[in-house]
Amino acid sequence: MADRTFLSWPFFEDRHRDLASRLEVWAAANLPVDHADVDAACIDLVRRLGEAGWLTHAGSEAGEALDVRTLCLIRETLARHDGLADFAFAMQGLGMGAVSLFGTPEQRNWLSRTRGGSAIAGFALTEPGSGSDVANTATTATRIADGFRLDGEKTYISNGGIADIYVLFARTGEAPGAKGLSAFLVPAATAGFEVVERIDVMAPHPLARLKLENAVVPESALIGKAGDGFKIAMAVLDVFRSTVGAAALGFARRALDEALTRVSARKINGAALSELQMVQGHLADMALEIDAAALLVYRAAWVKDQGAARISREAAMAKLHATEAAQRVIDLAVQLHGGDGVRKGSVVESLYREIRALRIYEGASDVQRVVIARALLAETKGNL
Ligand code: COS
């Protein structure tokens, strides 16, 4: 059983502790699910997470602030039990993040469906020609009578192929670069919107390349103001990057659990592996990485929940450290499992594959370093 002592940290309130206990019971009874058909598994997970009420935390229907500590606790717990369950939960939040933060009452109607599990959400930002460099978004949104015409391609879009609704970023051209982008709510059923390629990755989940050709959306699809798309994307990522760190934390805690069980049971030269000091050294390093990651993740979440307008630096630190640390922790867990660690289907083997993408999506590790350094330099400039 993973370490739960962190729940007594002052970052949390009793409602968080209560939620973590209830979710633990639910997750133990419902997870993991069979991953053989990831589309079917995700659709079913969204429905069940919705029915159980967990998805209500992934969106804000009435405009109240998202509770980032709750998002992190849910992601950490689900990831510890089943990476696909974490994915299903997280995408309902990220996909609808812009609507939770900036949506009109009409746009928020979608939230009642994504929070109930009857609609699936996607976040369409990345393009074949722009990933880290969001300011280079090439998909265009051209003003026409009563709305916009969307043309372009999006790729590596999670839930692509199964989502009912996407928040999609396109160039409206108010200014060059970052200041000329806007965010739109685009139903999958929009004429001219097509899923052109399904993408298979090392830890499979629904993922696709999307094409928009003469896809017309009404004026009411615009989220926030025209030209604010980049800031909207960054504000959403500010909230959800800490939660990626939380998912990594869940994977790392599971890896340490598996490693502890393994080294306690496995004998070498007549004694348990755990009696070797070199093994104990690895266990200590793993626990240290995990606690440091947890402190950064819940620090970022707590700061946001206290009402901070921007937590770019804290969120970047949480995501950067937690994902990189989890990779190291999981690698050690595989090592401590010997040959069994690389066997297909073993828990640590699947963790080894699942953690990798977290160091890339929602801002690769090097993007997080850029965000942290820029914040430091801006503070220094302000103090000179
Ligand atoms: N909240 C609100 N506004 C923000 C912001 C945030 N978190 N971050 C930046 N902005 C604002 C800036 O203040 C700036 O506005 P002003 O000129 O009015 O001050 C504007 O947005 C442009 O910011 P910046 O100059 O930093 O933009 P860059 O193009 O240099 O981009 C990075 C910076 C690289 C950090 C950004 O593009 C990024 O995060 N890239 C990764 C994207 C990503 O996560 N992709 C994965 C897709 S989701 S799976």
Side-chain angles (χ1 to χ4, degrees):
M1 174 69 170
D3 179 21
R4 315 269 292 152
T5 54
F6 73 100
L7 287 168
S8 63
W9 290 351
F11 294 127
F12 300 108
E13 298 165 27
D14 283 344
R15 65 190 169 95
H16 296 114
R17 299 181 184 103
D18 174 57
L19 176 134
S21 306
R22 285 187 290 110
L23 180 58
E24 187 63 38
V25 173
W26 185 88
N30 288 277
L31 305 177
V33 299
D34 184 357
H35 290 202
D37 177 342
V38 286
D39 282 9
C42 277
I43 292 167
D44 189 52
L45 278 165
V46 168
R47 185 185 54 77
R48 287 203 281 147
L49 287 163
E51 276 171 12
W54 302 117
L55 292 178
T56 56
H57 302 286
S60 159
E61 217 168 315
E64 70 281 5
L66 290 165
D67 190 80
V68 189
R69 288 166 295 175
T70 298
L71 288 171
C72 288
L73 277 173
I74 294 177
R75 288 203 66 177
E76 151 161 16
T77 308
L78 293 177
R80 189 155 42 73
H81 287 271
D82 185 348
L84 209 54
D86 164 60
F87 168 83
F89 173 83
M91 283 313 303
Q92 294 299 92
L94 177 70
M96 282 289 109
V99 180
S100 287
L101 298 180
F102 304 102
T104 61
E106 183 194 333
Q107 291 166 347
R108 283 177 197 279
N109 287 335
W110 274 101
L111 280 162
S112 65
R113 296 184 56 196
T114 58
R115 292 171 86 224
S118 67
I120 294 180
F123 182 74
L125 180 62
T126 301
E127 299 188 353
S130 76
S132 298
D133 52 345
V134 177
N136 279 329
T137 294
T139 295
T140 53
T142 313
R143 262 192 194 279
I144 53 169
D146 302 334
F148 296 87
R149 193 188 71 226
L150 302 169
D151 293 280
E153 270 195 23
K154 295 284 170 184
T155 194
Y156 292 114
I157 305 307
S158 290
N159 278 343
I162 66 165
D164 302 286
I165 185 74
Y166 296 84
V167 166
L168 186 139
F169 296 84
R171 180 162 301 287
T172 33
E174 290 69 21
K179 291 190 165 58
L181 305 180
S182 300
F184 296 92
L185 200 51
V186 182
T190 303
F193 172 96
E194 203 190 337
V195 175
V196 283
E197 182 191 4
R198 294 299 299 269
I199 304 169
D200 200 11
V201 285
M202 61 202 279
H205 61 265
L207 194 66
R209 183 161 60 89
L210 314 174
K211 188 170 172 196
L212 300 124
E213 199 172 350
N214 270 324
V216 174
V217 291
E219 179 78 36
S220 59
L222 178 68
I223 303 170
K225 289 207 300 285
D228 277 356
F230 184 91
K231 289 188 182 184
I232 290 173
M234 293 302 134
V236 170
L237 290 170
D238 259 11
V239 170
F240 285 93
R241 277 178 180 157
S242 336
T243 78
V244 179
L249 188 55
F251 289 147
R253 286 198 203 278
R254 179 63 183 267
L256 178 55
D257 271 6
E258 297 293 325
L260 284 166
T261 305
R262 167 79 182 193
V263 300
S264 304
R266 176 78 175 174
K267 298 272 190 297
I268 185 164
N269 298 329
L273 263 186
S274 58
E275 289 184 24
L276 296 181
Q277 281 195 351
M278 204 173 312
V279 169
Q280 292 174 2
H282 288 327
L283 296 174
D285 287 343
M286 292 160 90
L288 177 60
E289 297 266 38
I290 287 172
D291 270 11
L295 283 161
L296 285 168
V297 165
Y298 290 110
R299 186 270 299 250
W302 179 83
V303 173
K304 185 69 187 165
D305 289 343
Q306 298 314 297
R310 271 183 71 168
I311 54 156
S312 307
R313 183 173 67 100
E314 291 88 344
M317 284 184 169
K319 181 182 188 282
L320 173 62
H321 182 77
T323 57
E324 297 284 337
Q327 185 86 61
R328 293 190 289 271
V329 168
I330 293 167
D331 189 61
L332 278 171
V334 168
Q335 197 70 17
L336 290 170
H337 277 74
D340 292 342
V342 289
R343 260 181 104 125
K344 271 195 173 164
S346 80
V347 172
V348 289
E349 181 268 347
S350 70
L351 290 170
Y352 191 78
R353 288 183 290 101
E354 297 211 63
I355 187 59
R356 191 61 186 83
L358 276 66
R359 292 167 54 207
I360 298 172
Y361 70 59
E362 286 183 51
S365 289
D366 289 316
V367 166
Q368 308 309 332
R369 291 186 173 94
V370 168
V371 171
I372 297 164
R374 282 187 183 179
L376 290 176
L377 292 167
E379 274 165 36
T380 308
K381 203 171 155 197
N383 291 336
L384 287 179

